[in-house]
């Protein structure tokens, strides 16, 4: 009987061990390990720009653009490809959307200063209109993403709501020429960067054998 019991226990333990190993492998193969920290780094750079930390308008973008192109844009793209390869559809969609956001923002900022698409650096109205179009388009896009995220843990919805708020405030600040609104927008950017830090700590913790951190119940279906 003892041998039978031991064999039965071993038979039950084997699937459990396999499940634990699969869970550990899934945690280690998480595209958020690249996508989230590169998102946070770009967000910090954007927040510093909006609050005026990066200096005069003529040189303010110099420190931010390399980060957006070479770190955040590429990082989001790598995370998107990684998510596709592991069959993670929702993360692939999210990282893919933000690949478009960060790279298009970097191209916009570069083009405004270099007159890629016309005399934008010398025509304030043209430059303002281009920024308003960019901000409004992405505000609508991220609002749609926010609604679609309501079945995800609520921390993700919080992240997207803060991004919505930042885009709206920066849009209003750009339209009115208000540096005060842009500063508030920068503060909100720092707020969603902090949410990103929380998500990265959770992802890295799980990848190194830790337990998941609380993410909150989904607003829909929770």
């Amino acid at each position: 009987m003892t041998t039978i019991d031991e064999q039965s226990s071993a038979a039950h333990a084997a699937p459990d061990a396999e499940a634990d190993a699969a869970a550990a492998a899934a945690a280690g193969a998480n595209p958020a390990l690249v996508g989230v920290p590169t998102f946070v780094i770009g967000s910090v750079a954007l927040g510093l720009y909006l609050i005026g930390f990066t200096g005069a308008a003529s040189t303010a973008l110099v420190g931010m653009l390399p980060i957006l192109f070479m770190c955040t844009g590429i990082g989001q793209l790598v995370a998107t490809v990684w998510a596709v390869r592991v069959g993670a559809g929702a993360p692939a969609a999210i990282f893919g959307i933000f690949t478009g956001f960060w790279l298009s923002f970097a191209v916009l900022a570069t083009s405004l200063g270099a007159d890629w698409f016309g005399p934008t650096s010398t025509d304030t109205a043209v430059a303002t209109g281009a920024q308003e179009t960019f901000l409004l388009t992405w505000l609508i896009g991220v609002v749609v993403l926010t609604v679609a995220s309501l079945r995800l843990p609520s921390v993700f919805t919080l992240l997207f709501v803060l991004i919505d708020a930042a885009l709206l405030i920066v849009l209003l600040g750009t339209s009115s020429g208000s540096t005060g609104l842009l500063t508030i927008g920068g503060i909100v950017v720092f707020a969603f960067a902090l949410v990103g830090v929380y998500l990265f700590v959770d992802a890295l913790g799980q990848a190194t054998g830790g337990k998941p951190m609380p993410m909150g119940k989904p607003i829909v279906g929770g």
Side-chain angles (χ1 to χ4, degrees):
M1 290 296 293
T2 302
T3 302
I4 294 175
D5 290 342
E6 289 175 350
Q7 290 176 343
S8 177
S9 299
H12 284 86
D16 292 341
E18 291 176 0
D20 291 342
N30 185 353
L33 293 170
V34 171
V36 174
T38 54
F39 178 91
V40 169
I41 291 168
S43 299
V44 170
L46 176 58
L48 292 173
Y49 169 73
L50 290 171
I51 66 173
F53 178 84
T54 51
S58 59
T59 58
L61 295 171
V62 173
M64 181 174 66
L65 287 176
I67 294 172
L68 300 190
F69 275 119
M70 304 308 297
C71 174
T72 307
I74 292 178
Q76 299 300 288
L77 181 59
V78 169
T80 302
V81 174
W82 187 352
V84 171
R85 288 184 63 85
V86 299
I94 293 169
F95 290 127
I97 289 168
F98 284 109
T99 298
F101 173 79
W102 290 108
L103 288 179
S104 62
F105 176 57
V107 170
L108 173 70
T110 303
S111 66
L112 290 178
D115 293 339
W116 284 0
F117 307 117
T120 53
S121 62
T122 56
D123 191 326
T124 303
V126 172
T128 300
Q131 293 173 74
E132 290 172 342
T133 300
F134 176 89
L135 291 165
L136 179 58
T137 301
W138 276 106
L139 174 59
I140 294 170
V142 180
V143 166
V144 172
L145 177 60
T146 304
V147 174
S149 76
L150 296 179
R151 291 187 178 276
L152 296 176
S154 56
V155 68
F156 293 98
T157 304
L158 172 62
L159 173 67
F160 299 142
V161 167
L162 289 171
I163 296 173
D164 293 333
L167 286 168
L168 177 59
I169 294 168
V170 174
L171 173 60
L172 295 175
T174 300
S175 300
S176 63
S178 170
T179 56
L181 283 174
L182 294 179
T183 298
I184 294 172
I187 293 171
V188 178
V189 169
F190 289 134
F192 69 65
L194 284 175
V195 177
V197 169
Y198 183 86
L199 292 171
F200 177 61
V201 170
D202 171 69
L204 188 59
Q206 291 190 59
T208 52
K211 294 182 178 180
M213 294 167 61
M215 293 287 117
K217 294 182 178 180
I219 295 174
V220 175

